Amino acid sequence: MLRKLAFLTIASLAASGCQDQASGGQSGTRTEIRIVGSSTVFPFAKAVAEQFSLSGENPSPILESTGTGGGMSLFCAGVGAGTPDIENASRRIKASELELCHSNGVNDVVEVQIGIDGIAIAQANNGVSFSLTPVQIYKAIAERPFGKENTAKKWSDIDPSLPKLAISVYGPPSTSGTRDALTELIMEVGCVTDPATKALKDSNKAEFESICHEVRADGAYVDAGENDNLIVQKLKANPNSVGIFGYSFLEENLDSVRGIAVSGINPTYDAIASGEYPGARPLYVYVKKQHVGVIPGLKDYMLQFINAGGRDGYLVKAGLIALPDETRAKMTEVVRNMTPLDLSELK
């Protein structure tokens, strides 16, 4: 758990910055960048942190994998040394989250897209090979597919063309941005294939979200926590199970797991980069502009993050899918100018 420290205003931090930072944080501030958020973005942020501190000129950033939702709560709690400087996110910040930030004095939040990822559906290399569609995935893991009790026990109960294997899916928890992306990019796409359910989006939004987004709790879907590596281990142990996690974890473990095609498209670098793969999604990092110049190295760290995510950068070798050159150039300017995100862009 992050330590509970008294909130300090940025004004007081700036006034006492030199003396307090020289004291190594004994007076309530710190020199290390503090990062929370997405487990999917975590390995990329960690790689940048290691390179950032390699010269010895910068203290090693402190990272914690809390999940996107949990990280947003910490990030938006206020400004000052007791709060994180950076939030990693595997989905875009919600309007309600940015409003929470603003209500707690976090007035200038800078949004930086750092790359692209995909929601990979995967299985062990020695498992029975099959492919899926969004509607099949939805029917397998939804609590109430199309508003009815989910009684499917085997994949063949969903569709006779699928194997007669028990539905056993390891996936992200509700606090994860990967879960948010799963519900939006896969589950909801399958859910709205039913016209009556689709109509609920306008007539009864709460019921629509309940039907389309809630996952079953009878054991067929297992919340595997924020550690995506754990899902990979579960797939190795049970070749008949299916896992859901970010593409980068699939890329790192191709010796033991393989991607399952969704709508006939395999989760590959090119398919995700082009947007052809149904589960493609952007990855983000959010920065408190009010901490820039107070907590040392924030802007430099972010510029290194953008550079490392280029087509020939070390993050691409680690599984990140590079942004188009035009988008990356735009993000570089956003970081250089620390341009805050406007709430109206989220509504």
Side-chain angles (χ1 to χ4, degrees), residues 22-158:
S23 71
Q26 297 301 312
S27 301
T29 188
R30 55 184 161 80
T31 57
E32 304 89 357
I33 296 171
R34 196 170 175 185
I35 304 168
V36 295
S38 166
S39 61
T40 299
V41 181
F42 179 86
F44 305 130
K46 184 173 182 290
V48 177
E50 289 170 350
Q51 290 296 318
F52 179 72
S53 59
L54 202 58
S55 67
E57 296 178 5
N58 303 299
S60 182
I62 300 169
L63 296 92
E64 185 175 3
S65 178
T66 61
T68 298
M72 287 292 183
S73 297
L74 295 166
F75 179 80
C76 291
V79 296
T83 64
D85 312 302
I86 290 174
E87 153 73 356
N88 297 328
S90 53
R91 58 159 172 82
R92 198 176 196 194
I93 191 172
K94 299 175 183 177
S96 59
E97 292 167 333
L98 189 55
E99 288 170 347
L100 175 64
C101 274
H102 290 174
S103 70
N104 288 327
V106 186
N107 299 319
D108 295 317
V109 175
V110 180
E111 178 184 79
V112 184
Q113 187 181 347
I114 52 95
I116 304 168
D117 188 32
I119 307 298
I121 316 297
Q123 62 181 158
N125 284 337
N126 59 338
V128 177
S129 181
F130 61 102
S131 61
L132 293 166
T133 64
V135 69
Q136 289 169 341
I137 297 168
Y138 168 70
K139 287 180 178 179
I141 67 175
E143 174 71 16
R144 293 187 299 138
F146 306 127
K148 300 176 182 178
E149 179 186 2
N150 197 336
T151 59
K153 302 298 182 183
K154 299 178 179 179
W155 286 103
S156 55
D157 295 336
I158 301 296

Side-chain angles (χ1 to χ4, degrees), residues 2 19 54 57 79 93 97 111 113 165 169 190 192 206 212 224 228 241 263 272 292 301 318 322-323 330:
L2 293 172
Q19 180 180 352
L54 202 58
E57 296 178 5
V79 296
I93 191 172
E97 292 167 333
E111 178 184 79
Q113 187 181 347
L165 297 174
V169 178
V192 298
C212 292
D228 290 343
S241 62
S263 297
I272 295 168
V292 174
Y301 173 85
L323 295 171
K330 180 181 177 181

